[in-house]
Structure formats: structure tokens, C-alpha cells
């Protein structure tokens, strides 16, 4: 976040130059005019930032839909599976889990129930078999965690690199401005207007891409941590159920 703040400060100090350019009327600030005034190096920077923005928006939408579905189905799944287990209906509990395939809790609980059910042929379940169910729960939780986190790390990458891409565009704009000074043998605003506009636009676009990506990454990370806690609690409660079901809890 430090680099984002630094670039925001740099953009703030460029505001007097921006005001002068607006007064002079040297630069047209609508998107089409800005695009036409840019050199191809700056255009490539904008294209890269646009791709990064599109990717981050796609991840945001995909993860929001996935997390919303997981939360909604888990709220329906938890009481239903709890009722089935209280009645000792493991088959029914598995069927309930299979009807809620988008639920993070259902994916974990199903793995544990299936492993436990495989050992129910014997009247007494050994500690090793309960440990096997525990390991199945841990494996399922790890897989679900990876599924929930899919694409989220790219938001952190975009949030940390987009300001530097924008800064690269700023440097290109300054180089363009100096090139115009040399070509026109003039240091007036007319000579540097195009380069300054490139620098301002790429800096602003870099911040525009980075800031939402960082915010949403932090939000999604907190949601994933909450899901992990719920899966850990469900796994622990299911293991306790297995111990009681096997009769080991009475000893």
C-alpha cells in the first residue's frame, strides 16, 4: 500500500500542471482524444492496465458468486445434516450434503461421513479408523480451501504491480515530454502537453486498477479465513460424533 500512497501523492503534486494545461487548452481530456494524443509506448501501458483491470473484475465477480453460493447453501445444509446425524441416519446426511455441492461445509462433511461409513461394517470402530476419518476431513478441508482461494492471490499481485505499471507509463510520458522539448526547441506547455497528459493518465489508471484490487483482496481473505474456521469447527464436531457413535466416548 505504500507505493499506492506514494503514487497518489505524486499525482497530487501534478495537479497544478494539470490546471495550467486545462487553462491553456492544449490537451483534450475526453478518453478518445487522450488515446489519440498518446504515443504507442503509453498506449501499451494502458492496454496492460486494462487487461489487469478486466482480470481483477472477473475474479471479483467469480469469487463473489462462489462465496455467496457457499454461504447460502451452508445455512441450509447445517441444520439438515445435524438433524440427520442426531437420528443416526448417515446415508441421509450424505444425501443432504450431495444436494448442497456448492457448500464448503458439505464438501468437508461428506468426505468424513463417507470414510466413517466405510468402516461401519464392524460393531466397534478402532481409533485408527477414526484417525482415518479425521485425515479425510483434513484433506477435504485443504482442497476446499484451495478452491475458495482460486484467483484471489492474483488480486494481490495486481494490487501490488499496477501502481508500478502506471509509474512506468509516467516515466514514458516524461521521456515523451523531453523529446518534444528537444524536437520543438521550446520549453512551453505546448511542447510538453502530450507527455504530461500521458504521465497523468497512466498514473491515475494504475491507481484506479490497484486500489479496488487491494480492498477486495483483503475482503476475500477475511471471508476465506471465516470459512476455514467454520470447516475446522465442523470437522471437530464430526469427529466428536464419530467417537460417540463408535462407543469410545463411553469409556
Amino acid at each position: 500500500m505504500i507505493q499506492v500512497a506514494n503514487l497518489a501523492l505524486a499525482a497530487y503534486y501534478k495537479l497544478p500542471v494539470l490546471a495550467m494545461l486545462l487553462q491553456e487548452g492544449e490537451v483534450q481530456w475526453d478518453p478518445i482524444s487522450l488515446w489519440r494524443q498518446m504515443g504507442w509506448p503509453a498506449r501499451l501501458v494502458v492496454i496492460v492496465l486494462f487487461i489487469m483491470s478486466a482480470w481483477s473484475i472477473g475474479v471479483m465477480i467469480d469469487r463473489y458468486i462462489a462465496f455467496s453460493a457457499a454461504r447460502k447453501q451452508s445455512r441450509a445444509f447445517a441444520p439438515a445434516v445435524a438433524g440427520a446425524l442426531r437420528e443416526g441416519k448417515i446415508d441421509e446426511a450424505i444425501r443432504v450434503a450431495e444436494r448442497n455441492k456448492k457448500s464448503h461445509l458439505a464438501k468437508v462433511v461428506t468426505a468424513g461421513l463417507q470414510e466413517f461409513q466405510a468402516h461401519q461394517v464392524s460393531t466397534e470402530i478402532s481409533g485408527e479408523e477414526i484417525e482415518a476419518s479425521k485425515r479425510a476431513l483434513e484433506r477435504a478441508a485443504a482442497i476446499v480451501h484451495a478452491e475458495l482461494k482460486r484467483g484471489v492471490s492474483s488480486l494481490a499481485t495486481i494490487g501490488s504491480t499496477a501502481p508500478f505499471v502506471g509509474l512506468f507509463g509516467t516515466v514514458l510520458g516524461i521521456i515523451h515530454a523531453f523529446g518534444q522539448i528537444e524536437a520543438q526547441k521550446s520549453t512551453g506547455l505546448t511542447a510538453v502537453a502530450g507527455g504530461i497528459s500521458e504521465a497523468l493518465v497512466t498514473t491515475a489508471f494504475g491507481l484506479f486498477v490497484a486500489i479496488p484490487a487491494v480492498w477486495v483482496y483483503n475482503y476475500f481473505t477475511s471471508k476465506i479465513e471465516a470459512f476455514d474456521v467454520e470447516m475446522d469447527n465442523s470437522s471437530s464436531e464430526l469427529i466428536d460424533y464419530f467417537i460417540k457413535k463408535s462407543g469410545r466416548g463411553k469409556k
Side-chain angles (χ1 to χ4, degrees):
M1 291 297 294
I2 295 176
Q3 65 267 28
V4 176
N6 289 338
L7 284 176
L9 188 62
Y12 172 79
Y13 282 113
K14 291 175 184 175
L15 289 178
V17 178
L18 174 59
M20 293 176 65
L21 291 174
L22 289 172
Q23 291 175 0
E24 293 289 333
E26 299 295 344
V27 179
Q28 299 297 321
W29 292 97
D30 60 282
I32 296 177
S33 297
L34 285 172
W35 178 259
R36 290 174 178 172
Q37 292 162 10
M38 287 182 178
W40 271 108
R43 289 182 181 181
L44 291 176
V45 171
V46 171
I47 290 171
V48 170
L49 288 172
F50 179 80
I51 293 172
M52 295 171 72
S53 177
W55 180 273
S56 65
I57 292 172
V59 171
M60 292 175 193
I61 295 173
D62 176 71
R63 291 298 86 195
Y64 177 79
I65 293 173
F67 292 172
S68 298
R71 174 65 64 192
K72 181 179 179 180
Q73 290 196 4
S74 293
R75 287 175 178 172
F77 164 77
V81 76
L85 291 177
R86 277 196 300 268
E87 297 175 2
K89 300 178 180 178
I90 294 181
D91 290 336
E92 177 61 24
I94 293 175
R95 284 194 292 270
V96 171
E98 290 176 346
R99 289 196 299 268
N100 296 273
K101 293 183 178 180
K102 293 182 180 180
S103 167
H104 57 293
L105 297 181
K107 294 175 183 178
V108 174
V109 170
T110 300
L113 290 174
Q114 289 176 341
E115 184 70 23
F116 181 77
Q117 189 182 46
H119 299 298
Q120 273 198 319
V121 292
S122 59
T123 57
E124 184 176 345
I125 301 176
S126 66
E128 290 78 7
E129 291 165 343
I130 291 179
E131 283 297 318
S133 299
K134 183 178 180 180
R135 288 193 295 272
L137 288 168
E138 291 173 350
R139 288 193 298 270
I143 292 171
V144 173
H145 175 82
E147 291 177 355
L148 292 172
K149 199 175 179 181
R150 186 176 66 245
V152 175
S153 59
S154 65
L155 294 178
T157 302
I158 290 172
S160 61
T161 58
F164 290 108
V165 177
L167 180 60
F168 179 66
T170 302
V171 173
L172 292 176
I174 298 301
I175 292 173
H176 183 198
F178 279 109
Q180 291 297 105
I181 290 174
E182 183 179 359
Q184 298 182 19
K185 307 299 181 183
S186 171
T187 58
L189 287 178
T190 304
V192 301
I196 295 299
S197 67
E198 289 181 8
L200 290 169
V201 169
T202 53
T203 301
F205 201 6
L207 294 173
F208 176 78
V209 173
I211 292 173
V214 172
W215 285 350
V216 176
Y217 170 77
N218 291 332
Y219 172 75
F220 283 163
T221 298
S222 66
K223 294 287 287 184
I224 292 171
E225 289 174 354
F227 288 153
D228 287 341
V229 171
E230 292 174 357
M231 290 188 292
D232 289 342
N233 289 339
S234 296
S235 298
S236 178
E237 292 172 2
L238 197 57
I239 290 297
D240 291 342
Y241 171 81
F242 292 160
I243 293 174
K244 294 176 182 178
K245 186 73 173 177
S246 68
R248 293 172 57 85
K250 298 179 182 180
K251 295 182 180 180

